[in-house]
Amino acid sequence: MSPGAPIVVLEGVRARDSAGEAGRPRGSLFGVTAALGPGVHAVLGAPEDGTLALAELLAGRAAPLAGRVLVAGRDPFRSAATRARIGVLSVAPELPDGVSVASSMSVALRARGAPPSSAAALLDPLGVAPLLARRTASLSFAEARSVELSLALGVPQPLLLCLFEPFADVAVPSPELVRERLRALSDGGACVVLITSSTVDARALAERIHVLDRGVIARTEPGDGERLAGAPIPAAPGAARPEVELHVLLHERGPDAPGARALVAALAASPAVRAGSWEQGPAGASSTLRIRTADREAAALAILDAAAREDVTLAAISSSAPSMHDVRAATALHLAAVRPRRPFGAPVGDAAPPPGAALPPSAPPQEPVAVAAFGAPAPPGPAPPAPPPSGPSPAGALPSPPDGGASGGPPAADPSLADGAAHVEETGPHDAR
């Protein structure tokens, strides 16, 4: 494999999981095309978005219904040699059969051609070596996942690590131990894919965050995640921008010195602030403000200006990690900006079919298509369709679902903010009612 070539390639992949009731699908993928290079990638979404289906494909445990999945140029579902170089953490632990953890790990290590005595060396870096002497049946769900995570991180010469929620339900003393190991593996040239519904976990480690929304990779953002809850540029005409929350920590100098109350009152007149609340600390301590805004940068500047005018001492301004609700609201706006909603009954394409004409029997159904490239050259073959120049994400622009609109639609505006004025409330012991 040449340097800089993509490690994971998906070409027009359609798939579904069987995690629903009676084996029915819980989530699906629709025509996903992507190229993932070395580094740490976070796929952000829920099982209903197709994360379980994606995890099964990347692990080589399922074949797509359509399209191709390649890891280092080979189909992992058909190539045992490729699967041997993929580290996998599944949604539920799947340890090899064994009475004890030591015997279970020895089965896995023998399959790799490694000595069973190396089991302790895999568990020790994550701080879970004491589990080696335990009976496998005595392990809790989180402990069993931590053993499986140790096996995944110990794959020899890994090409890919596909980890489903590696920081949730895992009995590891410190998440930083896992992060350090994953950074080392990605620096060595492996492709690390974290499949998670936690924006906190995605922002803490990933170099790129890819939002999987209802079966398509809708957006790709930098690893800091600053734009996960941001409106697209340009925003969809008339669409309300989703709100984000800023946390402001300030020092209360004394009972007569300006503090949280003065700062919130000064921000009430700022058009960049939609709402604000504060929890005031005693003199000599710190107070916390929570500011809701649709424009993070404008609100931060307004806070700095108000603090300078009111002679308030600021300690820090930070933004909380957006929730999946915030990410979905912003993603709906991104998709709406890529392709405006098609009026109901409008023809698809350049010309409408003649009245009464039916589609040819062989015509495939219209499906959403995702086109994205993640830090790697595009795979060989026909080039994917180019995104519109004004697309919101450098990773690619996606057609909307079959009705031509954004999934879910933009969030409804808060009627209490319809007049555009800032609404301020004080919480905690100083609740203003």
Side-chain angles (χ1 to χ4, degrees), residues 15-20 24-29 46-53:
R16 63 173 67 99
D17 61 43
S18 56
R24 289 192 292 269
R26 188 174 176 186
S28 301
L29 301 176
E48 291 74 17
D49 297 312
T51 56
L52 294 174

Side-chain angles (χ1 to χ4, degrees), residues 280-320:
Q280 186 164 347
S286 298
S287 295
T288 302
L289 276 69
R290 291 178 174 82
I291 302 298
R292 298 291 296 180
T293 178
D295 190 329
R296 191 192 320 269
E297 291 77 12
L301 290 175
I303 292 168
L304 293 174
D305 290 343
R309 291 196 309 270
E310 300 297 328
D311 191 25
V312 173
T313 303
L314 297 182
I317 301 176
S318 62
S319 58
S320 59

Side-chain angles (χ1 to χ4, degrees), residues 308-365:
R309 291 196 309 270
E310 300 297 328
D311 191 25
V312 173
T313 303
L314 297 182
I317 301 176
S318 62
S319 58
S320 59
S323 66
M324 279 303 298
H325 174 79
D326 298 328
V327 175
R328 289 189 187 281
T331 300
L333 295 182
H334 278 261
L335 292 176
V338 170
R339 175 180 287 183
R341 184 175 295 275
R342 177 171 53 88
F344 179 78
V348 179
D350 297 331
L359 290 175
S362 60

Side-chain angles (χ1 to χ4, degrees), residues 173-214:
S174 171
E176 190 57 34
L177 298 174
V178 180
R179 296 189 189 106
E180 289 176 359
R181 180 61 180 150
L182 292 177
R183 292 189 189 102
L185 291 170
S186 67
D187 290 344
C191 177
V192 178
V193 179
L194 310 178
I195 301 177
T196 180
S197 59
S198 169
T199 58
V200 175
D201 292 343
R203 296 173 68 185
L205 184 63
E207 299 165 20
R208 305 290 293 276
I209 299 176
H210 318 292
V211 179
L212 186 63
D213 185 78
R214 295 167 180 82

Side-chain angles (χ1 to χ4, degrees), residues 219-251:
R219 304 163 54 196
T220 295
E221 302 291 349
D224 57 16
E226 287 297 318
R227 289 203 53 81
L228 280 175
I233 302 176
R241 300 179 69 181
E243 290 185 353
V244 295
E245 186 173 86
L246 293 180
H247 292 180
V248 183
L249 188 67
L250 59 90
H251 182 67

Side-chain angles (χ1 to χ4, degrees), residues 243-246 264 267-268 270-278 289-294 299 303 414 416-417 420-425:
E243 290 185 353
V244 295
E245 186 173 86
L246 293 180
V264 172
L267 290 172
S270 173
V273 175
R274 295 245 181 119
S277 63
W278 80 94
L289 276 69
R290 291 178 174 82
I291 302 298
R292 298 291 296 180
T293 178
I303 292 168
D414 187 344
S416 65
L417 305 177
H423 294 254
V424 181
E425 61 175 294

